[in-house]
């Protein structure tokens, strides 16, 4: 009611938004955050995006979280963190190919961004892109990431290849599974 009695009071609306985020009342916080951005565009910074993404994820709205993260990437295209967060939200929304693209962009900007290479490798394995995941693993180790951590992320590439070989029941399928497993073993 106090905010409604004082429309346009940015400070009061910020206070309400922060209270809603902490209570938590995510649905209301999302509405207030959007209304606040309309009243005061200067509030739309990396912190605003982070809070809105977190609120929409907590409210089980991964698609909306991806929308906010996409807007953050538009506003901060050279931010590795923005691309990594966008990739995470895309991943949660089931958009693995787009997630892999944004993880790749994030590590191009900053090879040490979290979750960066590890998430990129896992996503590429899930997409059955073993060659790309192995190349990313090499790039990750060249960037100074721990070999064991990179190897653990890469292990997931062997299982899809083995499953494919079992389904295909061909020599070529098993050779491919062996090749991928051997390459993964060399890194892991």
């Amino acid at each position: 009611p106090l905010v409604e009695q004082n429309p346009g009071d940015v400070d009061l609306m910020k206070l309400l938004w922060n209270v809603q985020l902490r209570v938590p009342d995510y649905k209301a916080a999302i509405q207030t955050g959007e209304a606040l951005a309309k009243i005061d565009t200067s509030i739309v910074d990396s912190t605003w995006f982070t809070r809105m993404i977190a609120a929409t994820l907590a409210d089980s709205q991964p698609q909306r979280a991806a929308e906010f993260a996409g807007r953050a990437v538009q506003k901060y295209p050279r931010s590795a963190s923005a691309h990594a967060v966008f990739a995470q939200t895309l991943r949660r929304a089931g958009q693995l190919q787009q997630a892999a693209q944004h993880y790749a962009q994030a590590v191009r900007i900053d090879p040490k961004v979290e979750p960066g290479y590890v998430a990129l490798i896992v996503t590429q394995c899930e997409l059955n892109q073993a060659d790309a995941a192995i190349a990313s693993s090499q790039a990750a180790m060249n960037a100074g990431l721990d070999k064991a951590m990179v190897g653990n992320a890469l292990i997931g590439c062997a299982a899809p290849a083995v499953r494919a070989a079992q389904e295909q029941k061909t020599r070529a399928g098993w050779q491919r599974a062996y090749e991928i497993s051997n390459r993964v073993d060399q890194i892991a």
Side-chain angles (χ1 to χ4, degrees):
L2 192 56
V3 172
E4 292 168 4
Q5 293 171 0
N6 297 287
D9 187 329
V10 174
D11 291 331
L12 194 56
M13 193 172 270
K14 281 182 191 177
L15 178 63
L16 175 62
W17 185 48
N18 284 320
V19 168
Q20 290 169 332
L21 288 169
R22 283 183 176 70
V23 170
D25 183 357
Y26 296 120
K27 285 191 187 325
I30 294 164
Q31 290 176 346
T32 302
E34 289 176 322
L36 183 59
K38 288 176 185 171
I39 294 171
D40 181 7
T41 57
S42 70
I43 192 76
V44 182
D45 60 7
S46 60
T47 301
W48 182 87
F49 281 115
T50 301
R51 289 178 180 171
M52 293 300 285
I53 292 164
T56 51
L57 287 174
D59 196 41
S60 300
Q61 297 183 53
Q63 292 289 356
R64 289 217 44 217
E67 290 171 21
F68 283 113
R71 289 172 47 196
V73 165
Q74 287 176 346
K75 187 164 183 164
Y76 304 104
R78 298 291 309 148
S79 169
S81 297
H83 281 279
V85 169
F86 189 30
Q88 288 173 311
T89 61
L90 288 167
R91 184 180 168 77
R92 285 185 178 158
Q95 299 173 28
L96 296 181
Q97 187 62 48
Q98 290 173 309
Q101 292 168 351
H102 282 278
Y103 281 131
Q105 181 65 23
V107 297
R108 275 193 293 275
I109 295 168
D110 178 4
K112 305 242 186 230
V113 68
E114 290 292 329
Y117 273 115
V118 171
L120 173 61
I121 294 163
V122 168
T123 304
Q124 288 170 326
C125 288
E126 290 174 342
L127 288 166
N128 203 19
Q129 298 174 348
D131 293 332
I134 290 167
S136 295
S137 297
Q138 292 297 330
M141 290 185 296
N142 291 343
L145 271 71
D146 179 62
K147 182 179 179 178
M149 183 172 57
V150 171
N152 286 337
L154 191 58
I155 287 173
C157 278
V162 170
R163 276 194 301 278
Q166 289 170 335
E167 290 172 10
Q168 294 170 1
K169 298 179 180 162
T170 64
R171 181 179 180 89
W174 283 106
Q175 285 176 322
R176 177 73 176 148
Y178 173 77
E179 174 191 322
I180 290 171
S181 296
N182 192 36
R183 290 171 71 191
V184 167
D185 200 37
Q186 289 173 355
I187 293 172

